[in-house]
Amino acid sequence: PGPVLYLALEDTPRRLQSRLRMILQGAPAPEGLELEVQCERFPDGLDRVRRFHAEHPTMRLAVVDVLARVRPVKGDRDNAYDADYTAMSHVKDLADELGICILVVHHTRKAASDDFLDDVSGTQGIAGGADGVLVLKRSRGKADATLKVTGRDIEEAEHALSFDPSRG
């Protein structure tokens, strides 16, 4: 356990409050949880994580939800793979420097594929720059889902999950 910074960049304060009430079911928010709804683009945006860590040296986790809100804007002459890999490299370098987990939420593409890494939206640079990749697949309106996991030091796995709408 330890302090957590959650960058909920697609949420409003009202939506976050509503979701927390549903998830916590009347319990108080965990001590050390800080929620933010704005952050600068990388690499400057990662300074927010660095500052939080300086204020909370026992920090264990930062969540960036979602990558599209903080990824540097790709220039016309930028190679898409290099831009994606560089964005994730900034995250990995900071996670390694601070000794924490930085979980980056990103969207999947709609097209079906044989390899779940191909489901990650964008180029292979996103998956290639990360230590691990988790892909959650759930059909719209269905409770059952599959979480597929792979990574550098992670044994590849697949987990069955079920969404409980009453608890979020």
Side-chain angles (χ1 to χ4, degrees):
V4 172
L5 175 63
Y6 187 98
L7 301 173
L9 306 176
E10 289 188 321
D11 291 323
T12 63
R14 175 184 278 172
R15 182 167 186 239
L16 275 178
Q17 186 177 46
S18 173
R19 290 174 71 196
L20 277 174
R21 282 187 180 133
M22 179 180 19
I23 292 168
L24 295 173
Q25 306 263 311
E31 188 176 327
L33 174 63
E34 185 164 324
L35 306 169
E36 306 245 347
V37 294
Q38 294 182 348
C39 185
E40 301 82 13
R41 292 195 174 272
F42 295 167
D44 295 341
L46 290 171
D47 286 339
R48 178 67 195 100
V49 176
R50 193 176 274 109
R51 286 191 309 272
F52 186 82
H53 185 269
E55 296 165 9
H56 305 89
T58 59
M59 173 188 193
R60 308 298 299 147
L61 172 66
V63 179
V64 178
D65 185 2
V66 312
L67 178 62
R69 292 287 180 125
V70 292
R71 178 173 32 187
V73 177
K74 186 175 89 59
D76 293 338
R77 295 181 181 194
D78 291 340
N79 172 290
Y81 177 91
D82 290 343
D84 285 346
Y85 189 87
T86 298
M88 293 309 299
S89 293
H90 290 305
V91 175
K92 180 185 174 357
D93 292 347
L94 182 60
D96 290 346
E97 173 191 327
L98 301 179
I100 64 169
C101 174
I102 302 178
L103 176 67
V104 178
V105 178
H106 185 54
H107 295 288
T108 55
R109 56 191 194 96
K110 303 218 184 311
S113 62
D114 292 332
D115 184 343
F116 72 93
L117 285 179
D118 291 334
D119 292 338
V120 176
S121 182
T123 71
Q124 290 294 325
I126 292 173
D131 277 339
V133 177
L134 295 84
V135 175
L136 179 63
K137 293 199 84 161
R138 179 175 68 94
S139 297
R140 185 179 302 278
K142 302 291 183 189
D144 294 335
T146 303
L147 179 67
K148 295 183 179 186
V149 181
T150 192
R152 289 187 176 95
D153 299 317
I154 303 168
E155 187 173 331
E156 197 160 296
E158 185 173 315
H159 304 279
L161 302 174
S162 185
F163 179 70
D164 179 356
S166 69
R167 300 216 44 218

